[in-house]
Amino acid sequence: MNRDLRIVYMGTPDFAVLPLKRIVEAGYNVVGVVTNPDKPAGRGRQIQESPVKVYAKELGLPILQPEKFRDPLFLEQLAALKADLQLVVAFKMLPQVVWSMPKYGTMNLHASMLPDYRGAAPINWAIMNGDKESGVSTFILRHEIDTGAVLFQQAVPISETMTAGELHDTLMEVGADLLLKSVDAIDSGDYKLVEQDQLNNGHASRHAPKIFKEDMKIDWSMPIYTIYNKVRGLSPFPAAWFELKSKQGEQLISAKVFKVEMGQSKPGAEAGTLCTDGKTYMGVHLSDGTLYIKELQIAGKRRMGIEEFLRGFNLDQYELKN
């Protein structure tokens, strides 16, 4: 392989940095990087650059940060890069005028075994649904989101305790290798595209829509395993949450949950109530077990283990708000 492909890389978060690094270190000619505009973040609202931009700057790569993909100036700048192939990892939905520009089209790395979990949050939904397996796919973009013909896929097991953050890191590593394998295949001309309807074995595909705040709220009437999967599927970000209500008044405290453990039901315990010794454990009685909260963060405080939390918080004065 001659590595003469002119590649434009499109991505924004940490997940997209390692695949870019793999492509660059393999000797490919990355002629430009497209990433999100800088924006204020954090408590100080300081202007922050995307992780992909930070890495691209280190390499001295040309960087484009369009506010709108149909902006004539951006389209002119993108066309001037004369890309043979565009690579998209964890980025926005592109219009046809952008993804159809290179002669080899635009390849996307997606964090699922397509056609399962098309959409914005495949890692979270796979764990929240209690799946035993996830994976990554490379495919060529077309009009409908995440529906293009697939080049390669690589499955990854999901353990009983794996969180979304841990699966993210695993898929980032596996996905970076798969993307390089896919670029190598296009460079050599040795690949076969497979339509997604040939990959689902007749089963209906599950979806991975964007997750909103209400989707993250814990419903304590649900079975213990459902809540357990929800917590690990949203940990550490964006995080499942619940509310505590003071017994003496209407004070509400919101708490994010990062780690829980499942336990047996307590005889005579009322579902939806808290249990604690005030020092070492905090649990919630459910209809089919007791869920013990191991790590949480209340509004305005940092994340902490349950023993540290209980040292500074009198849980006996509060109850769950459903």
Side-chain angles (χ1 to χ4, degrees):
M1 290 176 284
N2 55 29
R3 310 296 204 206
D4 286 339
L5 281 177
R6 294 178 62 84
I7 294 174
V8 167
Y9 189 90
M10 302 181 177
T12 292
D14 286 320
F15 188 87
V17 175
L18 186 59
L20 173 57
K21 186 177 181 182
R22 287 279 198 278
I23 299 300
V24 170
E25 291 180 348
Y28 280 106
N29 183 21
V30 178
V31 296
V33 169
V34 183
T35 190
N36 282 357
D38 302 343
K39 62 180 182 180
R43 291 186 178 181
R45 307 305 290 168
Q46 298 292 315
I47 298 297
Q48 290 193 356
E49 299 172 336
S50 76
V52 165
K53 180 181 178 181
V54 171
Y55 179 66
K57 283 175 64 178
E58 291 176 3
L59 300 179
L61 298 174
I63 299 169
L64 300 178
Q65 296 179 272
E67 292 285 350
K68 297 180 179 179
F69 292 127
R70 298 181 188 275
D71 182 289
L73 177 60
F74 165 67
L75 294 175
E76 180 182 330
Q77 293 171 329
L78 186 62
L81 295 174
K82 295 184 171 65
D84 299 309
L85 175 68
Q86 291 175 162
L87 303 177
V88 177
V89 180
F91 201 45
K92 300 174 181 176
M93 189 172 177
L94 301 173
Q96 182 176 357
V97 68
V98 173
W99 58 253
S100 65
M101 196 175 288
K103 67 178 180 180
Y104 292 117
T106 298
M107 185 198 305
N108 184 220
L109 173 66
H110 188 72
S112 80
M113 296 291 284
L114 291 170
D116 260 348
Y117 296 121
R118 295 168 178 161
I123 294 174
N124 304 100
W125 284 109
I127 294 182
M128 285 194 290
N129 287 338
D131 289 5
K132 306 301 182 188
E133 184 179 89
S134 180
V136 283
S137 306
T138 52
F139 68 97
I140 302 298
L141 289 188
R142 61 170 57 145
H143 280 289
E144 297 80 10
I145 187 168
D146 296 335
T147 61
V150 170
L151 281 86
F152 298 108
Q153 295 184 308
Q154 179 65 54
V156 169
I158 301 175
S159 73
E160 287 284 337
T161 60
M162 182 176 274
T163 64
E166 292 165 345
L167 180 57
H168 167 281
D169 292 349
T170 299
L171 294 182
M172 180 173 65
E173 292 278 352
V174 175
D177 291 338
L178 194 73
L179 187 67
L180 178 57
K181 176 182 177 180
S182 302
V183 174
D184 284 345
I186 287 180
D187 188 32
S188 66
D190 183 17
Y191 64 97
K192 178 183 177 182
L193 295 174
V194 180
E195 294 297 330
Q196 291 187 30
D197 59 10
Q198 299 177 38
L199 299 170
N200 62 4
N201 298 316
H203 300 298
S205 300
R206 293 166 292 178
H207 297 282
K210 184 177 179 180
I211 295 173
F212 296 95
K213 185 175 181 180
E214 281 306 306
D215 299 320
M216 300 177 248
K217 188 175 183 180
I218 296 174
D219 179 353
W220 297 109
S221 69
M222 300 297 289
I224 189 170
Y225 196 59
T226 300
I227 299 175
Y228 175 77
N229 288 337
K230 183 168 194 165
V231 170
R232 66 192 187 99
L234 293 171
S235 178
F237 182 83
W241 64 280
F242 67 97
E243 288 181 313
L244 294 168
K245 180 176 66 174
S246 65
K247 296 177 180 178
Q248 306 303 320
E250 290 302 312
Q251 182 187 12
L252 289 178
I253 294 176
S254 178
K256 293 180 178 181
V257 189
F258 303 99
K259 184 177 180 181
V260 292
E261 290 181 1
M262 294 185 288
Q264 298 296 318
S265 297
K266 301 284 184 171
E270 181 183 351
T273 59
L274 291 167
C275 61
T276 183
D277 63 354
K279 295 180 180 181
T280 61
Y281 72 87
M282 171 184 177
V284 179
H285 296 303
L286 303 173
S287 60
D288 58 346
T290 302
L291 193 72
Y292 292 96
I293 297 171
K294 310 301 288 187
E295 292 183 19
L296 80 169
Q297 179 181 14
I298 60 174
K301 303 291 184 179
R302 60 181 174 81
R303 176 175 171 173
M304 61 187 78
I306 197 62
E307 291 187 13
E308 181 183 1
F309 169 72
L310 291 174
R311 282 199 295 270
F313 193 88
N314 187 357
L315 195 60
D316 288 336
Q317 297 181 8
Y318 291 84
E319 58 190 5
L320 290 174
K321 180 180 183 298
N322 288 313

